[in-house]
Amino acid sequence: MADLDDIRDGKDFGVDRPQTNKAFYMKGVGALDWGMQSRLANIFNPKTGKTIMLAFDHGYFQGPTTGLERIDLNIAPLFEYTDVLMCTRGILRSVVPPDTGKSVVLRASGANSILTELSNEAVAVCVEDAVRLNVSAMAAQVYIGTEHEHQSIKNIIQLVDSGMRYGIPTMAVTGVGKDMVRDQRYFSLATRIAAEMGAHVIKTYYVEKGFERVTAGCPVPIVIAGGKKLPEQEALEMCYQAIDQGAAGVDMGRNIFQSDAPIAMLKAVHAVVHGGENAATAYQLYLSEKNK
């Protein structure tokens, strides 16, 4: 029991300064519970408000595609150079060391392969397992304008509802049907619908014309997908333009692990996202790191 004779009256009450509560630094999520904001702070760097996610969840529908044949050999060495890992629970448990120290965005949708209709997905992870895995967010595809639009939106709603009960944010990933046009109008629609359904972060594609309207019209943070493999200079230019036009980060996969120098590429992306460098400077950094 504490010694009651040693209780001392406090002195520094700051009576001349009213208590203030610092507003959360990411847009659109200031009204969330403390636990939700804490998990989002694990994703978005509090100093920059930005994030770099390393996506290697492609195997859930593509199998051991190029660069992902051996996660332990090809991907694990990249972990220390990124902010967040985006993967499935199977890979997380079997390959990712628990002491990696990186936040995880868990791929929570699936049930189809590249040989079938990808847009017809289901929720593939229960929220209790996401809690056991201590993930910072759950992610699912949302396909607007496709035959299975209704099901994919229901998947997002299900994740949002279950995640809110346990304090885990949801990231909606805007998939594009094979007959859809990848333009500002489509992604403005898709990102806004996902946010209106309650998603806390949106992952979408960058478009060269009107991307600032996509980010402005979405009330929660947007991170861009890397998409298909591009030459490194082009990928860095896309990254720079997206950040400059309002994106809160990037979630790159093939443009990292299929690069000739993945670690050098991650360092160059870091220079853009967290360092504020332009694409030309970042590309020179990439060449320098590649040639070491």
Side-chain angles (χ1 to χ4, degrees), residues 12-196:
D12 188 12
F13 288 93
V15 295
D16 59 330
R17 301 187 304 276
Q19 177 175 313
T20 59
N21 294 316
K22 182 180 178 182
F24 195 66
Y25 58 95
M26 298 304 299
K27 76 172 184 176
V29 293
L32 297 178
D33 292 339
W34 191 94
M36 298 280 278
Q37 293 184 355
S38 177
R39 282 187 166 93
L40 287 167
N42 291 334
I43 296 173
F44 296 96
N45 188 316
K47 294 182 179 179
T48 65
K50 304 291 192 298
T51 189
I52 300 171
M53 300 183 188
L54 176 63
F56 53 103
D57 58 331
H58 308 65
Y60 91 93
F61 67 96
Q62 288 184 331
T65 187
T66 303
L68 296 178
E69 299 90 344
R70 287 283 299 274
I71 302 296
D72 58 327
L73 299 180
N74 301 328
I75 305 300
L78 309 179
F79 290 166
E80 67 176 289
Y81 302 98
T82 190
D83 299 322
V84 179
L85 311 179
M86 183 174 179
C87 60
T88 63
R89 62 178 170 180
I91 289 297
L92 187 61
R93 283 193 167 105
S94 62
V95 181
V96 179
D99 59 356
T100 298
K102 298 296 180 178
S103 299
V104 173
V105 172
L106 184 68
R107 165 62 68 176
S109 63
N112 287 84
S113 77
I114 197 171
L115 302 178
T116 58
E117 176 52 61
L118 287 177
S119 67
N120 190 20
E121 289 191 332
V123 171
V125 177
C126 69
V127 68
E128 289 83 5
D129 207 23
V131 172
R132 282 189 287 269
L133 290 167
N134 194 33
V135 304
S136 293
M138 301 178 291
Q141 297 281 139
V142 58
Y143 289 91
I144 303 302
T146 68
E147 178 185 356
H148 302 289
E149 171 186 285
H150 181 72
Q151 178 60 42
S152 70
I153 293 177
K154 282 180 64 178
N155 294 341
I156 295 297
I157 294 170
Q158 181 179 336
L159 286 183
V160 170
D161 285 343
S162 61
M164 290 296 287
R165 289 197 298 271
Y166 289 88
I168 301 179
T170 295
M171 181 170 79
V173 183
T174 60
V176 183
K178 60 183 179 180
D179 298 323
M180 304 301 296
V181 178
R182 297 189 180 201
D183 59 11
Q184 174 265 317
R185 183 180 180 185
Y186 175 80
F187 290 119
S188 290
L189 175 66
T191 57
R192 183 58 175 263
I193 288 175
E196 296 268 358

Side-chain angles (χ1 to χ4, degrees), residues 253-281:
R254 286 168 289 182
N255 279 297
I256 300 298
F257 60 74
Q258 290 182 359
S259 170
D260 291 337
I263 291 176
M265 189 61 179
L266 271 172
K267 289 182 177 180
V269 171
H270 189 282
V272 173
V273 174
H274 293 307
E277 300 290 353
N278 60 33
T281 300

